[in-house]
Amino acid sequence: MVDIIIVGAGTAGLTAAIYALRSGKSALIFEGKAVGGQIVNTPDVENYPGIPHMSGFEFASHLLEQAQGFGAELKYEAVKEIRDQGAVKVVLTDAGEYEAKAVILATGAKNRPLGLDREQELVGRGVSYCATCDGMFYRKKDVAVAGGGNTALEDAQFLANYCNKVYLIHRRDAFRGEEKNVELLKAKENVEFVLNSNVTKILGEKKVEGVEVKDKFSGETRVLEVSGFFIAIGQMPANEAFAGVVSLDEKGYISAGESCTTGTAGIFTAGDCRTKEVRQLTTAASDGAVAALAACKYIDAM
Ligand code: NAP
């Protein structure tokens, strides 16, 4: 039996592993997708204290190396269920069954879809949720980005470096993302803001050929001829599998405060998957430390 099973190898999960291992506990991390979590999609991280500039991919790679350097074991298996048997937590994955004294849920969040007709069908054929992953396919082409948060603003900046033209479509005229990012975009000649507008259709049969946008005040529609459509409208949690062992809030996030305790003894949570105000790299790392130390304390008191 391992001391702590960590579900999710993003910033919160990997930080939790570092703190658990440095406290003398064994740690096994499960990751069902790719290591690193959402930060791997950020081209330039410049608000993590002590690191003026680094790509999200590089940041995640360093973090993994650091955790493995302390002895973290990583398995690429998706966790399907957790059974709480008091002193023993049974973790069922798509490949096996494992036991731990404590569990830390650090499942992050997944990309929120716009919910348009054929959106999912056209993923990989013009629709993308990751500009840093797919942006290069649209070199010298026209693309559109939907969203008004930092992700959309940074995606638009990244794409403007390679693409012929970038439309940034946002449903309001004020951005949720930082003003500095908005100013950087305004200075780019190949970026056009399409504000107070919603995307109503994705056009094209076999691949994206354009998007239809509707002005929410005038009701007028306009077609933007683009071959890439990047959707960056935030994230949503993916905690359904754990609803039996921890309580979820009305949006599906794991109910927990700054202590990262869930209300179920021996099950802790960290990062974007829990109820919180600020979802940042810094707060994910902070949660990882808090959850791991709480789990260690729980095990020591067993
Ligand atoms: P976000 O901040 O939640 O912003 C989501 C944006 O999408 C909002 O502008 C929202 O519009 C819009 N939106 C949501 N649902 C929509 C819908 N159905 N149709 C049209 N638009 C919709 O998400 P995010 O940009 O992914 O950022 C998530 C967190 O990560 C934030 O805390 C952000 O600051 C952080 N982040 C930080 C960095 C960095 O520091 N380098 C980089 C990326 C992200 P409204 O504004 O009208 O609600």
Side-chain angles (χ1 to χ4, degrees):
M1 175 165 18
V2 281
D3 290 323
I4 305 175
I5 282 181
I6 298 165
V7 186
T11 301
L14 292 172
T15 306
I18 292 171
Y19 274 78
L21 291 154
R22 282 173 55 86
S23 299
K25 303 289 185 270
S26 55
L28 170 60
I29 310 168
F30 288 111
E31 174 55 61
K33 292 190 183 120
V35 166
Q38 294 169 61
I39 198 61
V40 297
N41 301 331
T42 300
D44 188 18
V45 178
E46 56 171 33
N47 56 3
Y48 195 87
I51 303 178
H53 283 284
M54 190 178 276
S55 77
F57 183 80
E58 208 183 346
F59 179 88
S61 306
H62 285 317
L63 190 49
L64 175 64
E65 204 177 303
Q66 197 178 356
Q68 289 182 321
F70 286 116
E73 192 188 345
L74 172 69
K75 284 185 186 288
Y76 286 96
E77 296 176 24
V79 175
K80 299 291 181 195
E81 191 187 336
I82 294 172
R83 291 189 192 140
D84 181 17
Q85 297 179 352
V88 178
K89 313 296 174 199
V90 181
V91 175
L92 291 94
T93 72
D94 50 7
E97 198 175 306
Y98 303 83
E99 288 184 351
K101 294 176 187 163
V103 170
I104 297 174
L105 297 171
T107 53
K110 61 184 176 187
N111 295 315
R112 178 181 291 128
L114 266 172
L116 293 168
D117 272 357
R118 303 181 54 245
E119 179 177 334
Q120 296 310 314
E121 201 182 308
L122 290 168
V123 170
R125 289 188 277 158
V127 170
S128 170
Y129 297 89
C130 177
T132 37
C133 318
D134 301 329
M136 293 301 274
F137 297 124
Y138 302 93
R139 187 181 272 274
K140 297 201 165 73
K141 295 186 176 163
D142 291 0
V143 298
V145 176
N150 274 328
T151 304
L153 296 172
E154 290 186 4
D155 283 0
Q157 269 175 56
F158 177 76
L159 292 165
N161 294 333
Y162 303 99
C163 300
N164 180 53
K165 167 118 193 180
V166 179
Y167 296 96
L168 177 61
I169 307 159
H170 180 34
R171 64 183 177 184
R172 295 189 292 135
D173 61 358
F175 288 96
R176 191 173 288 273
E178 291 167 28
E179 188 54 30
K180 175 185 165 266
N181 282 334
V182 179
E183 291 307 318
L184 282 169
L185 276 180
K186 280 183 183 163
K188 297 215 179 252
E189 281 179 6
N190 60 341
V191 174
E192 181 179 331
F193 290 71
V194 183
L195 302 178
N196 296 315
S197 299
N198 285 302
V199 179
T200 40
K201 268 184 205 159
I202 304 175
L203 308 170
E205 277 306 310
K206 294 197 170 135
K207 58 184 173 68
V208 171
E209 286 167 10
V211 292
E212 181 189 86
V213 290
K214 185 174 184 181
D215 186 293
K216 74 177 184 191
F217 295 120
S218 69
E220 276 173 25
T221 57
R222 172 185 173 196
V223 169
L224 309 175
E225 289 181 4
V226 294
S227 49
F229 179 38
F230 292 86
I231 300 170
I233 60 161
Q235 285 79 38
M236 54 188 207
N239 296 320
E240 301 82 5
F242 314 117
V245 285
V246 290
S247 73
L248 307 182
D249 70 14
E250 70 287 351
K251 288 185 177 158
Y253 292 99
I254 298 167
S255 303
E258 296 302 312
S259 67
C260 296
T261 51
T262 62
T264 305
I267 303 186
F268 304 85
T269 181
D272 285 6
C273 64
R274 78 167 174 92
T275 309
K276 56 159 64 187
E277 274 295 312
V278 182
R279 291 190 171 86
Q280 292 284 306
L281 203 53
T282 44
T283 58
S286 161
D287 272 15
V290 171
L293 295 177
C296 293
K297 202 169 165 187
Y298 164 82
I299 292 170
D300 290 343
M302 279 175 104

